[in-house]
Amino acid sequence: MAIEVITREDLNEFRTLLLSDLNAIFNSKPQQQKQWLKSSEVRKLLNISPGTLQNLRVNGTITYTKVGGILYYASSDLEKVLEINKVEATPNLFNRK
């Protein structure tokens, strides 16, 4: 049975390779987000029912495009709606700054 000795140089080389791999992963572009989502995708994304999605359409909260019988929602519009309706956290015992 052969015994392999790991030296400091081996560890430094491993660290360098690991850091370069991690940098490559973190600096890579995120996956392309879909520009248009169907109703089922929006419901899954927001975890809402079909009735709630319909209410959001009817009251003008969420814009949509209808092509034939299919409703499409722009992902950028959904992000805007979420950002506009964001509620800031109030400081408490756990998140004081």
Coordinates of all heavy atoms in Angstrom, one line a residue:
M1 N 0.8 -1.2 0.0 CA 0.0 0.0 0.0 C 0.9 1.2 0.0 O 1.7 1.4 0.9 CB -0.9 0.0 1.2 CG -2.0 1.0 1.2 SD -3.3 0.5 2.3 CE -3.1 1.7 3.6
A2 N 0.7 2.1 -1.0 CA 1.6 3.3 -1.1 C 1.0 4.4 -0.3 O -0.2 4.6 -0.2 CB 1.6 3.7 -2.6
I3 N 1.9 5.1 0.4 CA 1.5 6.3 1.1 C 1.9 7.6 0.4 O 3.1 7.7 -0.1 CB 2.2 6.3 2.5 CG1 1.8 5.1 3.3 CG2 1.9 7.6 3.3 CD1 2.5 4.9 4.6
E4 N 1.0 8.5 0.2 CA 1.3 9.7 -0.5 C 1.3 10.9 0.5 O 0.4 11.0 1.3 CB 0.1 9.9 -1.5 CG 0.5 11.0 -2.5 CD -0.6 11.1 -3.6 OE1 -1.2 10.1 -4.0 OE2 -0.8 12.2 -4.1
V5 N 2.4 11.6 0.4 CA 2.6 12.7 1.3 C 2.1 14.0 0.6 O 2.5 14.3 -0.5 CB 4.1 12.9 1.7 CG1 4.3 14.1 2.6 CG2 4.5 11.6 2.4
I6 N 1.3 14.8 1.3 CA 0.9 16.1 0.8 C 1.7 17.2 1.4 O 1.8 17.3 2.6 CB -0.6 16.3 1.1 CG1 -1.5 15.2 0.4 CG2 -1.1 17.6 0.6 CD1 -2.9 15.2 0.8
T7 N 2.3 18.0 0.5 CA 3.2 19.0 1.0 C 2.4 20.4 1.0 O 1.3 20.5 0.5 CB 4.4 19.2 0.0 OG1 4.0 19.5 -1.3 CG2 5.2 17.8 0.0
R8 N 3.1 21.4 1.5 CA 2.5 22.7 1.5 C 2.3 23.2 0.1 O 1.3 23.9 -0.2 CB 3.5 23.7 2.3 CG 3.1 24.0 3.7 CD 4.0 25.0 4.3 NE 4.1 24.9 5.7 CZ 3.3 25.4 6.5 NH1 2.3 26.2 6.1 NH2 3.4 25.2 7.8
E9 N 3.3 22.9 -0.7 CA 3.2 23.4 -2.1 C 1.9 22.7 -2.8 O 1.2 23.4 -3.6 CB 4.4 23.0 -2.9 CG 5.7 23.8 -2.5 CD 6.3 23.3 -1.2 OE1 6.1 22.1 -0.9 OE2 7.0 24.0 -0.5
D10 N 1.7 21.5 -2.5 CA 0.5 20.8 -3.0 C -0.8 21.5 -2.5 O -1.7 21.8 -3.3 CB 0.4 19.3 -2.6 CG 1.5 18.5 -3.2 OD1 2.0 18.9 -4.3 OD2 1.9 17.5 -2.6
L11 N -0.8 21.9 -1.3 CA -2.0 22.5 -0.7 C -2.2 23.9 -1.3 O -3.3 24.4 -1.6 CB -1.9 22.6 0.8 CG -2.1 21.3 1.6 CD1 -1.8 21.5 3.1 CD2 -3.5 20.7 1.3
N12 N -1.1 24.7 -1.5 CA -1.1 26.0 -2.1 C -1.6 25.9 -3.5 O -2.4 26.7 -4.0 CB 0.2 26.7 -2.0 CG 0.5 27.3 -0.7 OD1 -0.5 27.7 0.0 ND2 1.7 27.4 -0.3
E13 N -1.1 24.9 -4.3 CA -1.6 24.7 -5.7 C -3.1 24.4 -5.7 O -3.8 24.9 -6.5 CB -0.8 23.6 -6.3 CG -1.2 23.4 -7.8 CD -0.4 22.3 -8.4 OE1 0.6 21.8 -7.8 OE2 -0.7 21.9 -9.5
F14 N -3.5 23.5 -4.8 CA -4.9 23.2 -4.7 C -5.8 24.4 -4.4 O -6.8 24.6 -5.0 CB -5.2 22.1 -3.6 CG -6.6 21.8 -3.4 CD1 -7.4 21.1 -4.3 CD2 -7.2 22.2 -2.2 CE1 -8.7 20.8 -4.1 CE2 -8.6 22.0 -2.0 CZ -9.3 21.3 -2.9
R15 N -5.3 25.2 -3.4 CA -6.0 26.4 -3.0 C -6.1 27.4 -4.2 O -7.2 27.9 -4.5 CB -5.3 27.1 -1.9 CG -6.0 28.4 -1.4 CD -5.2 29.0 -0.2 NE -3.9 29.5 -0.6 CZ -3.6 30.7 -1.1 NH1 -4.6 31.5 -1.4 NH2 -2.4 31.0 -1.4
T16 N -5.1 27.5 -5.0 CA -5.1 28.4 -6.1 C -6.1 27.9 -7.2 O -6.9 28.7 -7.7 CB -3.7 28.5 -6.7 OG1 -2.8 29.0 -5.7 CG2 -3.6 29.5 -7.9
L17 N -6.0 26.6 -7.5 CA -7.0 26.1 -8.4 C -8.4 26.2 -8.0 O -9.3 26.6 -8.7 CB -6.7 24.6 -8.7 CG -5.3 24.4 -9.4 CD1 -5.0 22.9 -9.5 CD2 -5.4 24.9 -10.9
L18 N -8.6 26.0 -6.7 CA -10.0 26.1 -6.1 C -10.5 27.5 -6.2 O -11.7 27.7 -6.6 CB -10.0 25.6 -4.7 CG -11.4 25.6 -4.0 CD1 -12.4 24.7 -4.7 CD2 -11.2 25.2 -2.5
L19 N -9.7 28.5 -5.8 CA -10.1 29.9 -5.9 C -10.4 30.3 -7.3 O -11.3 31.0 -7.6 CB -9.0 30.8 -5.3 CG -8.9 30.7 -3.8 CD1 -7.7 31.5 -3.3 CD2 -10.2 31.2 -3.1
S20 N -9.6 29.9 -8.3 CA -9.8 30.2 -9.7 C -11.1 29.6 -10.2 O -11.9 30.2 -10.9 CB -8.7 29.9 -10.6 OG -8.5 28.5 -10.6
D21 N -11.4 28.4 -9.8 CA -12.7 27.7 -10.2 C -13.9 28.4 -9.6 O -14.9 28.7 -10.2 CB -12.7 26.3 -9.8 CG -11.8 25.4 -10.6 OD1 -11.3 25.9 -11.7 OD2 -11.5 24.2 -10.2
L22 N -13.7 28.8 -8.3 CA -14.8 29.5 -7.6 C -15.1 30.9 -8.3 O -16.2 31.3 -8.5 CB -14.6 29.7 -6.1 CG -14.7 28.4 -5.3 CD1 -14.2 28.6 -3.9 CD2 -16.1 27.9 -5.3
N23 N -14.0 31.6 -8.6 CA -14.1 32.9 -9.3 C -14.8 32.7 -10.6 O -15.7 33.5 -11.0 CB -12.8 33.6 -9.5 CG -12.3 34.3 -8.2 OD1 -13.1 34.7 -7.4 ND2 -11.0 34.3 -8.1
A24 N -14.5 31.7 -11.3 CA -15.1 31.4 -12.6 C -16.6 31.2 -12.5 O -17.4 31.7 -13.3 CB -14.4 30.3 -13.3
I25 N -17.0 30.4 -11.4 CA -18.4 30.2 -11.2 C -19.1 31.4 -10.8 O -20.2 31.7 -11.3 CB -18.5 29.1 -10.1 CG1 -18.0 27.7 -10.6 CG2 -20.0 29.0 -9.6 CD1 -17.9 26.7 -9.5
F26 N -18.6 32.2 -9.9 CA -19.3 33.4 -9.4 C -19.3 34.5 -10.5 O -20.2 35.3 -10.5 CB -18.6 33.9 -8.1 CG -18.9 33.1 -6.9 CD1 -17.9 32.6 -6.1 CD2 -20.2 32.7 -6.6 CE1 -18.2 31.8 -5.0 CE2 -20.5 31.9 -5.5 CZ -19.5 31.5 -4.7
N27 N -18.4 34.6 -11.3 CA -18.3 35.6 -12.3 C -19.0 35.2 -13.6 O -19.1 36.1 -14.6 CB -16.9 36.0 -12.6 CG -16.3 36.7 -11.4 OD1 -16.9 37.4 -10.6 ND2 -15.0 36.5 -11.2
S28 N -19.5 34.0 -13.7 CA -20.2 33.6 -15.0 C -21.5 34.3 -15.0 O -22.1 34.6 -14.0 CB -20.3 32.1 -15.0 OG -21.2 31.6 -14.0
K29 N -22.1 34.4 -16.2 CA -23.3 35.1 -16.4 C -24.4 34.2 -15.9 O -24.4 33.0 -16.1 CB -23.6 35.4 -17.8 CG -22.7 36.5 -18.4 CD -23.0 36.8 -19.8 CE -22.0 37.9 -20.3 NZ -22.3 38.3 -21.7
P30 N -25.5 34.7 -15.2 CA -26.6 33.9 -14.8 C -27.4 33.4 -16.0 O -27.3 34.0 -17.1 CB -27.4 34.8 -13.9 CG -27.0 36.2 -14.3 CD -25.6 36.1 -14.8
Q31 N -28.1 32.4 -15.8 CA -28.9 31.8 -16.9 C -29.9 32.9 -17.4 O -30.4 33.7 -16.6 CB -29.7 30.6 -16.5 CG -28.8 29.4 -16.3 CD -29.7 28.2 -16.0 OE1 -30.8 28.2 -15.7 NE2 -29.0 27.0 -16.1
Q32 N -30.1 32.9 -18.7 CA -31.0 33.9 -19.3 C -32.4 33.7 -18.8 O -33.0 32.6 -18.8 CB -31.0 33.7 -20.8 CG -31.7 34.8 -21.6 CD -31.0 36.1 -21.6 OE1 -30.0 36.2 -21.0 NE2 -31.6 37.0 -22.3
Q33 N -33.0 34.7 -18.3 CA -34.4 34.6 -17.8 C -35.4 34.8 -18.9 O -35.1 35.6 -19.8 CB -34.6 35.7 -16.7 CG -36.0 35.7 -16.1 CD -36.2 36.7 -15.0 OE1 -35.3 37.6 -14.9 NE2 -37.2 36.7 -14.3
K34 N -36.5 34.1 -18.9 CA -37.5 34.2 -19.9 C -38.1 35.6 -19.9 O -38.4 36.1 -18.9 CB -38.6 33.1 -19.8 CG -38.1 31.7 -20.0 CD -39.2 30.7 -19.8 CE -40.3 30.9 -20.7 NZ -41.3 29.8 -20.6
Q35 N -38.3 36.1 -21.1 CA -38.8 37.5 -21.2 C -40.4 37.5 -21.0 O -40.9 38.3 -20.4 CB -38.5 38.1 -22.6 CG -39.0 39.5 -22.7 CD -38.6 40.1 -24.0 OE1 -38.0 39.4 -24.9 NE2 -38.9 41.4 -24.2
W36 N -41.0 36.4 -21.5 CA -42.5 36.3 -21.4 C -42.8 35.0 -20.7 O -42.3 34.0 -21.0 CB -43.1 36.4 -22.8 CG -42.9 37.7 -23.5 CD1 -42.0 38.0 -24.4 CD2 -43.7 38.8 -23.3 NE1 -42.1 39.3 -24.7 CE2 -43.2 39.9 -24.1 CE3 -44.8 39.1 -22.5 CZ2 -43.7 41.1 -24.2 CZ3 -45.4 40.4 -22.5 CH2 -44.8 41.4 -23.4
L37 N -43.8 35.1 -19.7 CA -44.2 34.0 -19.0 C -45.7 33.7 -19.2 O -46.5 34.7 -19.3 CB -44.0 34.2 -17.5 CG -42.5 34.5 -17.0 CD1 -42.5 35.0 -15.6 CD2 -41.7 33.3 -17.3
K38 N -46.1 32.5 -19.2 CA -47.5 32.1 -19.3 C -48.1 32.2 -17.9 O -47.4 32.2 -16.9 CB -47.7 30.7 -19.9 CG -47.3 30.7 -21.3 CD -47.5 29.3 -21.9 CE -47.2 29.2 -23.4 NZ -47.4 27.8 -23.9
S39 N -49.5 32.2 -17.9 CA -50.2 32.3 -16.6 C -49.7 31.2 -15.6 O -49.5 31.5 -14.4 CB -51.7 32.1 -16.8 OG -52.2 33.2 -17.6
S40 N -49.6 30.0 -16.1 CA -49.2 28.9 -15.2 C -47.8 29.1 -14.5 O -47.6 28.9 -13.4 CB -49.2 27.5 -15.9 OG -48.3 27.5 -17.0
E41 N -46.9 29.7 -15.3 CA -45.6 30.0 -14.8 C -45.6 31.1 -13.8 O -44.9 31.1 -12.8 CB -44.6 30.4 -16.0 CG -44.4 29.3 -17.0 CD -43.7 29.7 -18.2 OE1 -44.1 30.7 -18.8 OE2 -42.8 29.0 -18.6
V42 N -46.5 32.1 -14.0 CA -46.6 33.3 -13.1 C -47.2 32.8 -11.8 O -46.8 33.1 -10.7 CB -47.4 34.4 -13.7 CG1 -47.7 35.5 -12.7 CG2 -46.7 35.0 -14.9
R43 N -48.2 31.9 -11.9 CA -48.9 31.4 -10.7 C -47.9 30.6 -9.9 O -47.8 30.7 -8.6 CB -50.1 30.5 -11.1 CG -51.2 31.3 -11.6 CD -52.5 30.5 -11.6 NE -52.4 29.1 -12.0 CZ -52.5 28.6 -13.2 NH1 -52.8 29.4 -14.2 NH2 -52.4 27.3 -13.4
K44 N -47.1 29.8 -10.5 CA -46.1 29.0 -9.8 C -45.0 29.9 -9.2 O -44.6 29.7 -8.1 CB -45.4 28.0 -10.8 CG -44.5 27.0 -10.2 CD -43.9 26.1 -11.3 CE -44.1 24.7 -10.9 NZ -43.4 23.8 -11.9
L45 N -44.6 30.9 -10.0 CA -43.5 31.8 -9.5 C -44.0 32.6 -8.2 O -43.2 32.7 -7.3 CB -43.1 32.8 -10.6 CG -42.1 33.8 -10.3 CD1 -40.7 33.1 -10.1 CD2 -42.0 34.9 -11.4
L46 N -45.2 33.1 -8.3 CA -45.7 33.9 -7.2 C -46.5 33.1 -6.1 O -46.9 33.6 -5.1 CB -46.7 35.0 -7.7 CG -46.0 36.0 -8.7 CD1 -47.1 37.0 -9.2 CD2 -44.9 36.7 -8.0
N47 N -46.7 31.8 -6.4 CA -47.4 30.9 -5.5 C -48.8 31.4 -5.2 O -49.2 31.6 -4.1 CB -46.6 30.7 -4.2 CG -47.1 29.5 -3.4 OD1 -47.7 28.6 -4.0 ND2 -47.0 29.5 -2.1
I48 N -49.5 31.7 -6.3 CA -50.9 32.2 -6.2 C -51.9 31.4 -7.0 O -51.4 30.6 -7.9 CB -51.0 33.7 -6.7 CG1 -50.5 33.8 -8.1 CG2 -50.2 34.6 -5.7 CD1 -50.7 35.2 -8.7
S49 N -53.1 31.5 -6.7 CA -54.2 30.7 -7.4 C -54.6 31.4 -8.7 O -54.3 32.6 -8.9 CB -55.4 30.6 -6.5 OG -56.0 31.8 -6.4
P50 N -55.3 30.7 -9.6 CA -55.7 31.3 -10.8 C -56.7 32.5 -10.5 O -56.6 33.5 -11.3 CB -56.5 30.2 -11.5 CG -55.9 28.9 -11.0 CD -55.5 29.2 -9.6
G51 N -57.5 32.4 -9.5 CA -58.4 33.5 -9.2 C -57.6 34.7 -8.7 O -58.0 35.9 -9.1
T52 N -56.6 34.5 -8.0 CA -55.8 35.7 -7.5 C -55.1 36.3 -8.7 O -55.1 37.6 -8.8 CB -54.7 35.2 -6.5 OG1 -55.4 34.6 -5.4 CG2 -53.9 36.4 -6.0
L53 N -54.6 35.5 -9.6 CA -54.0 36.1 -10.8 C -55.0 36.9 -11.6 O -54.7 38.0 -12.1 CB -53.3 35.0 -11.7 CG -52.5 35.4 -12.9 CD1 -51.4 36.4 -12.5 CD2 -52.0 34.2 -13.6
Q54 N -56.2 36.3 -11.8 CA -57.2 37.0 -12.5 C -57.5 38.4 -11.8 O -57.7 39.4 -12.5 CB -58.5 36.2 -12.6 CG -59.6 36.9 -13.4 CD -60.8 36.0 -13.5 OE1 -60.9 34.9 -13.0 NE2 -61.8 36.5 -14.2
N55 N -57.6 38.4 -10.5 CA -57.9 39.6 -9.7 C -56.8 40.6 -10.0 O -57.1 41.8 -10.1 CB -58.0 39.4 -8.2 CG -59.4 38.7 -7.9 OD1 -60.3 38.8 -8.6 ND2 -59.4 38.0 -6.8
L56 N -55.5 40.2 -10.0 CA -54.4 41.1 -10.3 C -54.5 41.7 -11.7 O -54.2 42.9 -11.9 CB -53.1 40.4 -10.1 CG -52.8 40.0 -8.6 CD1 -51.5 39.1 -8.6 CD2 -52.6 41.2 -7.7
R57 N -55.0 40.9 -12.6 CA -55.2 41.4 -14.0 C -56.3 42.4 -14.0 O -56.2 43.5 -14.6 CB -55.5 40.3 -15.0 CG -54.3 39.5 -15.4 CD -54.7 38.6 -16.6 NE -56.0 37.9 -16.5 CZ -56.1 36.7 -16.1 NH1 -55.0 36.0 -15.7 NH2 -57.2 36.1 -16.0
V58 N -57.5 42.0 -13.4 CA -58.7 42.9 -13.5 C -58.5 44.2 -12.8 O -58.9 45.3 -13.4 CB -59.9 42.1 -12.8 CG1 -61.1 43.0 -12.7 CG2 -60.3 40.9 -13.7
N59 N -57.8 44.3 -11.7 CA -57.6 45.5 -11.0 C -56.4 46.3 -11.5 O -56.1 47.4 -11.0 CB -57.6 45.4 -9.5 CG -56.3 44.6 -9.0 OD1 -55.3 44.5 -9.6 ND2 -56.5 44.0 -7.8
G60 N -55.7 45.8 -12.5 CA -54.6 46.5 -13.2 C -53.3 46.4 -12.5 O -52.4 47.2 -12.8
T61 N -53.2 45.5 -11.5 CA -51.9 45.4 -10.8 C -50.8 44.8 -11.7 O -49.7 45.2 -11.7 CB -52.1 44.5 -9.6 OG1 -53.1 45.1 -8.7 CG2 -50.8 44.4 -8.8
I62 N -51.2 43.8 -12.5 CA -50.3 43.1 -13.4 C -50.7 43.4 -14.8 O -51.9 43.1 -15.2 CB -50.2 41.6 -13.1 CG1 -49.6 41.4 -11.7 CG2 -49.4 40.9 -14.1 CD1 -49.4 40.0 -11.3
T63 N -49.8 43.8 -15.7 CA -50.1 44.0 -17.1 C -49.9 42.6 -17.8 O -49.1 41.8 -17.3 CB -49.2 45.1 -17.7 OG1 -47.9 44.7 -17.6 CG2 -49.5 46.4 -17.1
Y64 N -50.6 42.5 -18.9 CA -50.5 41.2 -19.7 C -50.7 41.5 -21.1 O -51.2 42.6 -21.5 CB -51.5 40.2 -19.1 CG -52.9 40.6 -19.3 CD1 -53.7 40.2 -20.4 CD2 -53.5 41.4 -18.3 CE1 -55.0 40.6 -20.5 CE2 -54.9 41.8 -18.5 CZ -55.6 41.4 -19.6 OH -56.9 41.7 -19.7
T65 N -50.4 40.5 -21.9 CA -50.6 40.5 -23.4 C -51.4 39.3 -23.7 O -51.0 38.2 -23.3 CB -49.3 40.6 -24.2 OG1 -48.6 41.8 -23.8 CG2 -49.5 40.6 -25.6
K66 N -52.4 39.4 -24.5 CA -53.2 38.3 -24.9 C -53.0 38.0 -26.4 O -53.2 38.9 -27.2 CB -54.7 38.5 -24.6 CG -55.5 37.3 -24.8 CD -57.0 37.5 -24.4 CE -57.8 36.3 -24.5 NZ -59.1 36.5 -24.0
V67 N -52.5 36.8 -26.7 CA -52.3 36.4 -28.1 C -53.2 35.1 -28.3 O -52.9 34.1 -27.6 CB -50.9 36.1 -28.4 CG1 -50.7 35.6 -29.8 CG2 -50.0 37.3 -28.1
G68 N -54.2 35.2 -29.1 CA -55.2 34.1 -29.2 C -55.9 34.0 -27.9 O -56.4 34.9 -27.3
G69 N -55.8 32.8 -27.3 CA -56.4 32.6 -26.0 C -55.4 32.5 -24.9 O -55.7 32.1 -23.7
I70 N -54.1 32.8 -25.2 CA -53.1 32.6 -24.2 C -52.6 34.0 -23.6 O -52.4 34.9 -24.4 CB -51.9 31.9 -24.8 CG1 -52.3 30.5 -25.3 CG2 -50.7 31.7 -23.8 CD1 -51.2 29.8 -26.1
L71 N -52.5 34.1 -22.3 CA -52.1 35.3 -21.7 C -50.6 35.2 -21.4 O -50.1 34.2 -20.8 CB -52.8 35.5 -20.4 CG -54.4 35.7 -20.5 CD1 -55.0 35.7 -19.1 CD2 -54.7 36.9 -21.3
Y72 N -49.9 36.3 -21.7 CA -48.4 36.4 -21.4 C -48.1 37.6 -20.5 O -48.8 38.6 -20.7 CB -47.7 36.5 -22.8 CG -47.7 35.3 -23.7 CD1 -48.7 35.3 -24.7 CD2 -46.9 34.2 -23.5 CE1 -48.8 34.2 -25.5 CE2 -47.0 33.1 -24.3 CZ -47.9 33.1 -25.4 OH -48.0 32.0 -26.2
Y73 N -47.1 37.4 -19.7 CA -46.8 38.4 -18.7 C -45.3 38.7 -18.9 O -44.5 37.8 -18.9 CB -47.0 38.0 -17.3 CG -48.5 37.6 -17.1 CD1 -48.9 36.3 -17.4 CD2 -49.4 38.5 -16.6 CE1 -50.2 35.9 -17.2 CE2 -50.7 38.1 -16.4 CZ -51.1 36.8 -16.7 OH -52.4 36.4 -16.5
A74 N -44.9 40.0 -19.0 CA -43.5 40.3 -19.1 C -42.8 40.1 -17.8 O -43.3 40.7 -16.8 CB -43.3 41.7 -19.6
S75 N -41.7 39.4 -17.8 CA -41.0 39.2 -16.5 C -40.5 40.5 -15.9 O -40.5 40.7 -14.7 CB -39.8 38.2 -16.7 OG -38.9 38.7 -17.6
S76 N -40.2 41.5 -16.7 CA -39.7 42.8 -16.2 C -40.9 43.5 -15.5 O -40.7 44.2 -14.5 CB -39.2 43.7 -17.3 OG -40.2 43.9 -18.3
D77 N -42.1 43.4 -16.0 CA -43.3 44.0 -15.4 C -43.6 43.3 -14.0 O -43.9 44.0 -13.1 CB -44.6 43.8 -16.3 CG -44.5 44.7 -17.5 OD1 -43.6 45.6 -17.5 OD2 -45.3 44.5 -18.4
L78 N -43.4 42.0 -14.0 CA -43.6 41.3 -12.7 C -42.6 41.8 -11.6 O -42.9 42.0 -10.5 CB -43.5 39.8 -12.9 CG -44.6 39.2 -13.7 CD1 -44.3 37.7 -13.9 CD2 -45.9 39.3 -13.1
E79 N -41.3 42.0 -12.1 CA -40.3 42.5 -11.2 C -40.6 43.9 -10.7 O -40.5 44.2 -9.5 CB -38.9 42.5 -11.9 CG -38.4 41.1 -12.1 CD -37.1 41.1 -12.8 OE1 -36.4 42.2 -13.0 OE2 -36.7 40.1 -13.3
K80 N -41.2 44.7 -11.6 CA -41.6 46.1 -11.2 C -42.7 46.1 -10.1 O -42.6 46.8 -9.2 CB -42.0 46.9 -12.4 CG -40.9 47.3 -13.3 CD -41.5 48.1 -14.5 CE -40.5 48.2 -15.6 NZ -41.1 48.8 -16.8
V81 N -43.7 45.2 -10.4 CA -44.8 45.1 -9.4 C -44.3 44.7 -8.1 O -44.7 45.2 -7.0 CB -45.9 44.1 -10.0 CG1 -46.9 43.8 -8.9 CG2 -46.6 44.7 -11.2
L82 N -43.4 43.7 -8.0 CA -42.8 43.2 -6.8 C -42.0 44.3 -6.1 O -42.1 44.5 -4.9 CB -42.0 42.0 -7.0 CG -42.8 40.7 -7.4 CD1 -41.8 39.6 -7.8 CD2 -43.7 40.3 -6.3
E83 N -41.3 45.1 -6.9 CA -40.4 46.1 -6.3 C -41.3 47.3 -5.7 O -41.1 47.8 -4.7 CB -39.5 46.7 -7.3 CG -38.4 47.6 -6.8 CD -37.5 46.9 -5.8 OE1 -37.1 45.7 -6.0 OE2 -37.1 47.5 -4.8
I84 N -42.3 47.6 -6.5 CA -43.2 48.7 -6.1 C -44.0 48.4 -4.8 O -44.2 49.2 -3.9 CB -44.3 49.1 -7.2 CG1 -43.5 49.8 -8.3 CG2 -45.4 49.9 -6.7 CD1 -44.4 49.9 -9.6
N85 N -44.3 47.1 -4.6 CA -45.1 46.7 -3.5 C -44.3 46.1 -2.3 O -44.8 45.6 -1.4 CB -46.1 45.6 -3.9 CG -47.2 46.2 -4.8 OD1 -48.0 47.0 -4.3 ND2 -47.2 45.9 -6.0
K86 N -42.9 46.3 -2.4 CA -42.0 45.8 -1.4 C -42.3 46.6 -0.1 O -42.4 47.8 -0.1 CB -40.6 45.9 -1.9 CG -39.6 45.4 -0.8 CD -38.2 45.2 -1.4 CE -37.5 46.5 -1.7 NZ -36.1 46.4 -2.1
V87 N -42.3 45.9 1.0 CA -42.5 46.5 2.3 C -41.1 46.4 3.0 O -40.6 45.2 3.2 CB -43.6 45.8 3.1 CG1 -43.7 46.4 4.5 CG2 -44.9 45.9 2.4
E88 N -40.6 47.5 3.5 CA -39.3 47.4 4.2 C -39.5 46.8 5.6 O -40.5 47.1 6.2 CB -38.7 48.9 4.3 CG -38.4 49.5 2.9 CD -37.3 48.8 2.2 OE1 -36.4 48.2 2.8 OE2 -37.4 48.8 1.0
A89 N -38.5 46.1 6.0 CA -38.5 45.5 7.3 C -38.3 46.5 8.4 O -37.5 47.5 8.2 CB -37.4 44.4 7.4
T90 N -39.0 46.4 9.5 CA -38.8 47.3 10.6 C -37.8 46.7 11.5 O -37.7 45.4 11.7 CB -40.1 47.5 11.4 OG1 -40.7 46.2 11.7 CG2 -41.1 48.2 10.5
P91 N -36.9 47.5 12.1 CA -35.9 47.0 13.0 C -36.5 46.3 14.2 O -37.5 46.8 14.7 CB -35.1 48.2 13.4 CG -35.4 49.3 12.4 CD -36.8 48.9 11.9
N92 N -35.9 45.1 14.5 CA -36.4 44.5 15.7 C -35.2 43.8 16.4 O -34.0 44.2 16.1 CB -37.5 43.4 15.4 CG -37.0 42.3 14.5 OD1 -35.8 42.0 14.5 ND2 -37.9 41.7 13.7
L93 N -35.4 43.0 17.3 CA -34.4 42.4 18.1 C -33.3 41.7 17.3 O -32.1 41.7 17.6 CB -35.0 41.4 19.1 CG -34.0 40.6 20.0 CD1 -33.3 41.6 21.0 CD2 -34.8 39.6 20.8
F94 N -33.7 41.1 16.1 CA -32.8 40.3 15.3 C -32.1 41.0 14.2 O -31.1 40.6 13.7 CB -33.6 39.1 14.8 CG -34.2 38.2 15.8 CD1 -35.5 38.2 16.0 CD2 -33.4 37.5 16.6 CE1 -36.1 37.4 17.0 CE2 -33.9 36.7 17.6 CZ -35.3 36.7 17.9
N95 N -32.6 42.1 13.7 CA -32.0 42.8 12.6 C -31.7 44.3 12.9 O -31.9 45.1 12.0 CB -32.8 42.6 11.3 CG -34.2 43.3 11.4 OD1 -34.6 43.8 12.4 ND2 -35.0 43.1 10.3
R96 N -31.2 44.6 14.0 CA -30.9 45.9 14.4 C -29.6 46.4 13.6 O -28.7 45.6 13.4 CB -30.6 46.1 15.9 CG -31.8 46.0 16.7 CD -31.4 46.3 18.1 NE -32.6 46.1 19.0 CZ -32.6 45.9 20.3 NH1 -31.4 46.0 20.9 NH2 -33.7 45.7 20.9
K97 N -29.6 47.6 13.2 CA -28.5 48.2 12.5 C -28.1 49.5 13.1 O -28.8 50.2 13.6 CB -28.8 48.3 11.0 CG -28.9 47.0 10.4 CD -29.0 47.1 8.9 CE -29.0 45.8 8.2 NZ -29.2 45.8 6.8

